[in-house]
Amino acid sequence: MYQWHRTIGIITIIPVIFWTLSGLMHPFMAHFFKPEIAHEKLEIKTINQNNLRLSIQEVLKKNKIQQFINFRIVSFNNITYYQVKNLIGDLLYFDTSNGKQLENGDAIYAEWLSRYFLDDQKSSVKNNEIITEFDNQYKYVNRYLPVYKVTLDRPDTMEVYVETSSSKLATYNPTSRQFFIWFFDTFHNWSFIDAMLTFAFSGGYHATTKWDPYTLDQMVYEPTFKTKEISLANNKLDLDWNRFQNASLITFNDSIYFRCQLDEKTTGRFKTPKSDSNSKWNKKESPKTEVVYINATTNKIVPNLDIQYAEFLAYYFTDGAPKAACCEMMSPELPEESEASLENVKLLESKVITNFENREYGFVNKRLPVIKLAYDTPEKTTYFIETSTSRLAAIVKNSDMVEGYSFAILHKFLFMDWAGKNIRDFTMVLAALAILIVSVLGLILFIKK
């Protein structure tokens, strides 16, 4: 028994060494090899009404597009475009001044975004490809799909992932981070088993992922709009055009609305939250904006519709509300633990979340701003809805919170947050280093004997 104890102990020491080494790299890379870029967000600017010489209806009719999913406005290379999502999901770009389509516009915009985020207008593009699934370099933690992966010809071989449908940066990986992701994935997550046991492991993995599938990337409400049914021109909306930033369409309660994003007034209702600048939960914050909904028939602003629309989306994603006649597709299934319907469930809380300060909705969820909807279900299920894209950003229930807090407190040492990020990471490094030293000393003693 003693011999077996020693042998098994030595065998288990090997993965412990790998785990501690790769774990040590996490805070180490974050502090000493953390890549920095010029911009992590696209600066949102107001759009001059004069730049919208043609309405979206005029542009669509000129290009013989009778039906579409949605539109919004983007500006790059000193030109303003309507970004239109067609029925098969492609993003098309039309000049708002003359209605001409920009050929290969989505790839061009992806490259422009990448150069903007890096502030690099000189390096040539080595590769520009669409990523539709998560892989060993672009992990599911990045959330956004599909994205463009743009690789520039630079010494750091920077890879930038951007979501053109929202103009957002998903992630960026220079050579050092690419190596770290591989090292962490191999020695911390043991991804090498996937290549030693490819047949058995892939089959088992495929089966187990069906138990709790990742479906958030599919949870989006995208009805079809008919061009002829939208009578009000988007460049004639009755709003404060000095603050206008963007517009898109939604359908709600058998009516069509323009969802307009306006620059926040100086006396706006949003206030910058007070928080610890060292806290990882406050790294990203949504720009302060005001959202108004304008009826596409009456040209009148409908107040307080953002929360109501979020509630509708929560119903939609749980089959708690009837789907519009134009949308014959079925919404993807939610994980089993989600409530089947919210039709008769009491809403306990609803509010707009503009930052990741709240650990209930951490920065890992990516999307901001979102609307929090907490329902009185047995699991106290909470939905976080991004109304700007009609997406379900996250689902949180009691068991998720328990698991999340256990991982955050026991694995990431977030109980040390009161001391600040630097002290917390230093404490975590010391703990992992102590385990590593004990493991290595034990292995040395075994080899010597």
Side-chain angles (χ1 to χ4, degrees), residues 153 197 218 286 288 290 306 318 325-326 339 357 370 372 434:
D153 188 10
L197 297 172
Q218 304 171 47
S286 176
K288 303 301 185 300
E290 181 182 351
D306 209 28
T318 58
C326 62
E339 311 302 328
E357 185 180 22
V370 294
K372 174 186 176 181

Side-chain angles (χ1 to χ4, degrees), residues 1-15:
M1 289 180 64
Y2 177 71
Q3 289 298 325
W4 274 107
H5 178 271
R6 293 180 68 237
T7 302
I8 295 174
I10 293 304
I11 293 174
T12 58
I13 280 179
I14 304 302

Side-chain angles (χ1 to χ4, degrees), residues 160-386:
V160 184
Y161 296 82
V162 296
E163 185 186 53
T164 53
S165 62
S166 64
S167 305
K168 290 183 178 179
L169 172 67
T171 190
Y172 53 97
N173 298 333
T175 304
S176 58
R177 183 163 173 78
Q178 294 170 36
F179 170 76
F180 166 69
I181 291 174
W182 172 84
F183 187 90
F184 192 85
D185 199 40
T186 301
F187 294 106
H188 205 85
N189 298 332
W190 286 30
S191 63
F192 60 86
I193 295 178
D194 206 359
M196 293 169 63
L197 297 172
T198 301
F199 178 78
F201 185 80
S202 60
Y205 180 74
H206 183 67
T208 55
T209 53
K210 289 186 176 180
W211 298 342
D212 190 14
Y214 179 83
T215 58
L216 279 181
D217 60 316
Q218 304 171 47
M219 303 304 290
V220 56
Y221 174 56
E222 294 186 318
T224 300
F225 294 98
K226 294 182 180 179
T227 306
K228 63 181 181 181
E229 293 180 349
I230 307 170
S231 57
L232 178 61
N234 66 292
N235 54 0
K236 303 296 182 182
L237 296 176
D238 186 13
L239 49 74
D240 185 356
W241 281 93
N242 292 324
R243 299 193 293 129
F244 178 76
Q245 294 179 331
N246 221 315
S248 59
L249 290 170
I250 72 158
T251 179
F252 177 61
N253 285 345
D254 299 323
S255 297
I256 297 176
Y257 300 88
F258 284 97
R259 184 188 187 277
C260 302
Q261 182 175 308
L262 307 179
D263 190 14
E264 183 201 21
K265 292 181 179 178
T266 305
T267 58
R269 58 191 177 94
F270 294 113
K271 295 182 180 179
T272 303
K274 296 180 180 179
S275 57
D276 178 11
S277 60
N278 291 323
S279 174
K280 68 182 291 183
W281 303 98
N282 197 38
K283 275 189 175 181
K284 294 185 178 180
E285 184 171 326
S286 176
K288 303 301 185 300
T289 59
E290 181 182 351
V291 176
V292 297
Y293 290 80
I294 298 180
N295 189 295
T297 301
T298 65
N299 201 8
K300 300 294 184 182
I301 294 178
V302 181
N304 305 319
L305 201 61
D306 209 28
I307 296 290
Q308 295 180 47
Y309 183 55
E311 290 183 50
F312 162 75
L313 291 175
Y315 290 145
Y316 175 82
F317 293 132
T318 58
D319 284 333
K323 296 175 176 57
C326 62
C327 312
E328 296 181 357
M329 68 169 190
M330 294 297 291
S331 62
E333 292 183 5
L334 286 173
E336 290 181 6
E337 63 270 14
S338 299
E339 311 302 328
S341 173
L342 299 176
E343 194 168 7
N344 300 312
V345 179
K346 181 181 179 181
L347 180 63
L348 299 177
E349 181 187 11
S350 63
K351 68 175 182 179
V352 179
I353 294 180
T354 60
N355 60 70
F356 295 130
E357 185 180 22
N358 190 331
R359 292 185 183 178
E360 185 180 12
Y361 187 77
F363 74 97
V364 71
N365 294 297
K366 297 289 187 176
R367 299 185 182 277
L368 280 178
V370 294
I371 293 179
K372 174 186 176 181
L373 300 173
Y375 288 91
D376 189 16
T377 65
E379 284 285 352
K380 294 296 183 289
T381 308
T382 301
Y383 297 84
F384 297 89
I385 307 292
E386 185 182 47

Side-chain angles (χ1 to χ4, degrees), residues 42 75-77 107-117 121:
L42 179 66
S75 299
F76 59 98
N77 293 334
I108 295 174
Y109 187 46
E111 179 183 335
W112 183 89
L113 284 172
S114 301
R115 293 187 181 279
Y116 171 85
F117 291 131
Q121 306 300 324

Side-chain angles (χ1 to χ4, degrees), residues 128-177:
N128 189 346
E129 60 180 314
I130 298 178
I131 304 296
T132 58
E133 295 180 354
F134 300 113
D135 55 32
N136 58 354
Q137 279 292 318
Y138 186 69
K139 302 292 186 179
Y140 77 91
V141 71
N142 295 299
R143 295 297 192 269
Y144 298 117
L145 277 180
V147 293
Y148 276 86
K149 174 185 176 183
V150 181
T151 307
L152 297 180
D153 188 10
R154 303 174 8 149
D156 60 2
T157 64
M158 180 67 79
E159 298 174 346
V160 184
Y161 296 82
V162 296
E163 185 186 53
T164 53
S165 62
S166 64
S167 305
K168 290 183 178 179
L169 172 67
T171 190
Y172 53 97
N173 298 333
T175 304
S176 58
R177 183 163 173 78

